[in-house]
């Protein structure tokens, strides 16, 4: 029995490793949304949530109606985030496809110094992206159906973890 115990002790080994893994988070937020002048004659309400900016326009929409809007985005997470797109949705659905949207993007490491950029763009934690939108209504097929409509345009951020 002693011989078996000694043999087992010579051929047996256990390694115990205690480890802690810490993960981060990808969190990109809209920190501000605004309407640039000149202001349209229609009332416009600007609101934002963590992942989207919404521009609600009341009154009369007409061919050539234009909104100049902006959205500030910040990486508030602990991991780099890749901003892949700004996705637009429209209400009522009849107006989908009736807008020409031009985006301009500016990147800032600190919120003070800005550099023009294009998407996709990677934001390190604490870095900013400013989006300026020129939204022009141009829909001849609706004719007078758009007259008097109140519309809502929502710009939603599409962001994923940046992989180095």
């Amino acid at each position: 029995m002693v011989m078996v115990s000694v043999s087992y002790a010579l051929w047996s080994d256990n390694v115990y490793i205690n480890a802690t893994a810490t993960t981060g988070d990808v969190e990109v937020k809209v920190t501000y949304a605004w309407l640039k002048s000149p202001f349209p004659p229609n009332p416009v309400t600007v609101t934002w949530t963590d992942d989207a900016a919404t521009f609600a326009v009341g009154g009369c929409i007409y061919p050539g109606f234009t909104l100049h809007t902006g959205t500030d985005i910040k990486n508030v997470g602990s991991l780099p985030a890749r901003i892949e797109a700004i996705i637009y949705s429209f209400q009522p659905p009849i107006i989908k496809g009736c807008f020409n949207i031009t985006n301009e993007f500016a990147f800032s490491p600190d919120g003070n110094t800005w550099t023009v950029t294009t998407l996709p763009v990677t934001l390190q934690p604490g870095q900013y992206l400013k989006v300026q939108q020129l939204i022009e209504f141009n829909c001849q097929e609706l004719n007078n159906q758009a007259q008097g409509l109140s519309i809502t345009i929502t710009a939603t951020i599409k962001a994923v973890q940046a992989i180095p």
Side-chain angles (χ1 to χ4, degrees):
M1 179 85 144
V2 172
M3 187 64 120
V4 171
S5 297
V6 171
S7 298
Y8 177 77
L10 290 175
W11 291 100
S12 158
D13 196 7
N14 290 321
V15 176
Y16 296 97
I17 299 174
N18 291 324
T20 302
T22 302
T23 60
D25 64 327
V26 174
E27 189 173 3
V28 176
K29 288 188 177 182
V30 173
T31 58
Y32 188 64
W34 71 95
L35 182 66
K36 292 178 64 176
S37 61
F39 297 106
N42 312 57
V44 178
T45 303
V46 180
T47 58
W48 63 91
T49 61
D50 285 350
D51 66 346
T54 300
F55 307 95
V57 183
C60 182
I61 303 301
Y62 51 87
F65 175 83
T66 303
L67 286 176
H68 295 264
T69 63
T71 308
D72 288 353
I73 300 166
K74 182 179 181 183
N75 182 354
V76 296
S78 59
L79 295 173
R82 180 179 167 97
I83 309 298
E84 294 189 333
I86 306 296
I87 300 168
Y88 293 92
S89 58
F90 304 90
Q91 289 296 328
I94 191 173
I95 65 170
K96 184 178 181 181
C98 290
F99 290 88
N100 298 323
I101 300 176
T102 305
N103 290 310
E104 293 180 357
F105 302 97
F107 163 79
S108 176
D110 57 9
N112 296 313
T113 306
W114 296 91
T115 306
V116 175
T117 189
T118 58
L119 291 186
V121 64
T122 297
L123 298 180
Q124 297 298 325
Q127 293 182 333
Y128 298 82
L129 182 67
K130 187 178 293 281
V131 183
Q132 292 191 32
Q133 299 104 345
L134 176 62
I135 304 170
E136 181 182 18
F137 181 74
N138 185 12
C139 198
Q140 300 302 321
E141 61 268 14
L142 282 182
N143 295 324
N144 292 331
Q145 294 178 52
Q147 300 290 332
L149 278 182
S150 293
I151 64 168
T152 302
I153 302 168
T154 301
T156 304
I157 307 164
K158 180 181 179 191
V160 297
Q161 181 181 346
I163 300 184

